[in-house]
Amino acid sequence: MDDEQQKEGDLQLKIWVESRKIWRIAFPTVISKAFAFGTLVVTQSFIGHISATDLAGYSLVHALTIRFVNGILLGMSSATDTLCGQAFGAGQKHMMGVYLQRSWIVDFLTLTLLLPIFIFGTQIFKLVGQEESVANSAGYISLWFIPFVYSYVFNATIQIFLQAQLKTMIVAWLSAFHFAIQIPLSMLFVHKLNMGVAGAMIALSLSSWFLVITEFIYVFGGWCPHSWKGFTILAFKDLLPVLKLSISSGVMLCLELWYYAILALLAGYMPDAKTAISAFSICLNVNAWEFMISLGFLVAACVRVANELGGGNAKAIKISIKVLLGTSITIGVFFFVLCLAFGKKLAYAFTDDEKVADIVSDLSLLLSFSILLNSIYPVISGVAVGAGFQGVVAIVNLVCFYVIGLPVGGLLGYLTTLKVKGIWVGMLFGVLTQTITVSYITWRTDWDDQVKKASERLERFYLHTVENPEQISNEAL
């Protein structure tokens, strides 16, 4: 009996210790993601008070172009999650700065190749059938988004670099400050200087680059002495393995992010499209705000798994996954009940249109289940990124979302009386099959074998990059 009590006490202690580690990462990450999302919402609000056409143009660029490009950049950056997290766990902190610089090179070149999407925004939106005034506005706003997305190249990767070494609170504080200066800057340029849409976009870019500059100051100023050894030409060496991992990471995440954008487009082609897409967008917005919490657990899963893989502790990975899922599902059940309880009232926070509110009410049950799934599949996706499974999960996402989810949503939405509800059922079915598949892959994973592979990967990157750790400092530019 004493042995059983001791084992139970040890287990409780392990769960408590793991929970503290998880929340140390997850909570600041939720704050930083919410503030990052909030800056785009603030800009949308200021533009919405300028004109309805510009609001439609901004919404179009935000929902399609920015989601498309940021999806690629965030996906490519998640390779840094894997490499930096495992390097930190293995005690090879001096390699983290090299990985960070390599990610800047890969992401910067990728974004430069994507610039035509912004430059020819008007022509692209006209090509997909948008009315001329909205397409013209969207094309103009697309050009103003270019400085913002270049700031994202550095912001996304630096945050990953800091989170991998558990410097999460500084990320949260800087993100909060970024959001805080966004509002007065927008008021200055839009209202005081009467610069309209251009003013709102200048404020967004200035605040975003201010965030990057403060992150640079933190990294370069001596607060990361073990992980940042200065700029080095070693960052340009052995880029191909990083590029391969970045591409598989980008495909994995993009297939997930674009899935929701394509479903929103499907809603836009239905009868009474304005009402349908408004209701669908409201539900997606509610889902997106709750997903900020899920993103915190995704990052926590990625960091914890990568750190323990690098540290060679397979047992700790298994405990971490169980605690992550238990905590995230508990939060998911809370929001599931909350969404069911409020139902139709959710819509009135966004609209006064009774028809839109009725459709949102019809979707509330499905939205609740989506929120519940948000507590599972981001954690599993974070585990996959931490372990370097991006290529496998990319294939799973392709099949589950595009071979299963989209066709089911299209068929139910257009060939039955379910309409918008049918599209959401298809979306839910795709997410459910993806969650079950990736969960099965995670359950069947031999973590002892993954520890060996992580060690081999780190050794390969390390040996290809530098034979002597001091060489990184000696070759710094």
Side-chain angles (χ1 to χ4, degrees):
M1 188 69 177
D2 289 340
D3 288 342
E4 288 182 9
Q5 287 178 342
Q6 186 174 352
K7 286 180 180 177
E8 187 178 339
D10 289 344
L11 180 62
Q12 288 176 348
L13 180 61
K14 286 178 181 177
I15 292 171
W16 169 248
V17 171
E18 184 59 36
S19 294
R20 288 184 64 187
K21 290 178 180 178
I22 288 166
W23 280 108
R24 181 182 173 184
I25 303 164
F27 182 68
T29 303
V30 171
I31 294 172
S32 63
K33 298 296 182 187
F35 280 129
F37 187 67
T39 56
L40 290 167
V41 173
V42 166
T43 304
Q44 185 175 28
S45 176
F46 274 92
I47 289 177
H49 287 89
I50 295 170
S51 81
T53 301
D54 289 322
L55 176 61
Y58 179 89
S59 300
L60 203 60
V61 178
H62 185 197
L64 298 179
T65 310
I66 297 303
R67 184 182 288 269
F68 176 81
V69 173
N70 277 5
I72 293 174
L73 293 176
L74 187 59
M76 300 283 278
S77 300
S78 72
T80 315
D81 263 317
T82 306
L83 297 171
C84 281
Q86 292 182 9
F88 182 80
Q92 295 184 11
K93 297 177 185 178
H94 55 278
M95 290 299 299
M96 296 177 73
V98 179
Y99 295 146
L100 176 62
Q101 291 171 65
R102 284 176 179 169
S103 70
W104 288 343
I105 295 165
V106 171
D107 286 9
F108 190 89
L109 292 175
T110 301
L111 177 57
T112 302
L113 291 174
L114 293 171
L115 277 184
I117 297 173
F118 293 92
I119 295 169
F120 301 105
T122 300
Q123 292 85 342
I124 291 170
F125 288 120
K126 284 180 180 178
L127 193 64
V128 296
Q130 296 298 320
E131 61 180 77
E132 188 172 351
S133 60
V134 174
N136 288 335
S137 174
Y140 176 71
I141 290 170
S142 292
L143 294 173
W144 280 108
F145 258 117
I146 292 174
F148 168 80
V149 289
Y150 268 108
S151 74
Y152 192 78
V153 166
F154 300 99
N155 177 38
T157 48
I158 292 173
Q159 287 194 2
I160 289 168
F161 169 78
L162 294 173
Q163 286 162 351
Q165 50 194 308
L166 307 180
K167 295 180 181 292
T168 48
M169 279 311 301
I170 186 63
V171 174
W173 281 113
L174 292 178
S175 298
F177 195 56
H178 169 213
F179 180 78
I181 66 169
Q182 168 74 12
I183 297 172
L185 278 175
S186 297
M187 293 178 68
L188 172 65
F189 285 101
V190 175
H191 296 309
K192 295 291 183 182
L193 301 179
N194 293 317
M195 293 180 68
V197 172
M201 296 307 299
I202 289 171
L204 176 65
S205 293
L206 283 177
S207 64
S208 299
W209 274 103
F210 182 82
L211 173 61
V212 172
I213 290 167
T214 54
E215 289 170 341
F216 280 152
I217 291 170
Y218 184 83
V219 174
F220 303 160
W223 285 276
C224 300
H226 303 296
S227 54
W228 179 262
K229 300 292 184 180
F231 290 100
T232 170
I233 58 172
L234 295 172
F236 293 90
K237 295 181 180 180
D238 206 32
L239 279 171
L240 189 59
V242 178
L243 185 60
K244 287 180 179 177
L245 185 59
S246 296
I247 289 171
S248 60
S249 301
V251 171
M252 169 191 155
L253 197 64
C254 288
L255 289 172
E256 189 173 312
L257 291 173
W258 299 343
Y259 180 53
Y260 295 96
I262 293 169
L263 286 162
L265 279 176
L266 280 179
Y269 292 115
M270 302 197 79
D272 194 8
K274 186 178 178 181
T275 303
I277 202 166
S278 295
F280 201 85
S281 297
I282 286 170
C283 290
L284 281 179
N285 273 333
V286 172
N287 195 48
W289 276 109
E290 193 278 334
F291 195 70
M292 295 300 110
I293 298 172
S294 304
L295 280 175
F297 284 94
L298 186 153
V299 172
C302 176
V303 172
R304 290 295 301 127
V305 169
N307 285 173
E308 296 300 345
L309 273 177
N313 197 340
K315 287 184 180 179
I317 295 169
K318 295 172 187 176
I319 293 172
S320 184
I321 293 171
K322 290 174 183 176
V323 175
L324 276 159
L325 282 172
T327 308
S328 185
I329 290 171
T330 302
I331 294 171
V333 169
F334 171 76
F335 282 103
F336 171 82
V337 173
L338 206 64
C339 189
L340 281 179
F342 283 95
K344 191 174 182 177
K345 293 178 182 177
L346 283 171
Y348 291 115
F350 299 90
T351 183
D352 295 321
D353 192 312
E354 193 70 29
K355 287 175 68 178
V356 173
D358 286 338
I359 296 174
V360 172
S361 180
D362 286 340
L363 287 171
S364 61
L365 178 62
L366 296 173
L367 175 60
S368 299
F369 279 107
S370 293
I371 286 171
L372 188 60
L373 282 177
N374 279 355
S375 65
I376 303 172
Y377 85 87
V379 172
I380 302 300
S381 295
V383 171
V385 172
F389 293 165
Q390 289 96 322
V392 176
V393 178
I395 296 169
V396 172
N397 285 354
L398 177 64
V399 174
C400 293
F401 293 155
Y402 295 86
V403 178
I404 298 173
L406 275 178
V408 170
L411 289 171
L412 292 177
Y414 286 94
L415 299 182
T416 72
T417 57
L418 290 173
K419 296 183 179 178
V420 177
K421 192 184 288 187
I423 295 176
W424 201 284
V425 168
M427 178 184 77
L428 204 57
F429 194 61
V431 173
L432 180 62
T433 54
Q434 189 259 13
T435 303
I436 292 170
T437 306
V438 181
S439 297
Y440 178 76
I441 291 169
T442 304
W443 177 59
R444 294 288 296 170
T445 297
D446 182 344
W447 290 107
D448 290 304
D449 184 51
Q450 291 303 316
V451 164
K452 292 178 185 176
K453 289 180 179 178
S455 178
E456 289 168 3
R457 182 192 295 122
L458 283 169
E459 188 177 348
R460 185 173 68 250
F461 272 105
Y462 177 72
L463 290 175
H464 284 187
T465 303
V466 60
E467 294 179 0
N468 184 342
E470 294 302 319
Q471 189 178 342
I472 292 177
S473 296
N474 294 339
E475 293 196 21
L477 296 178

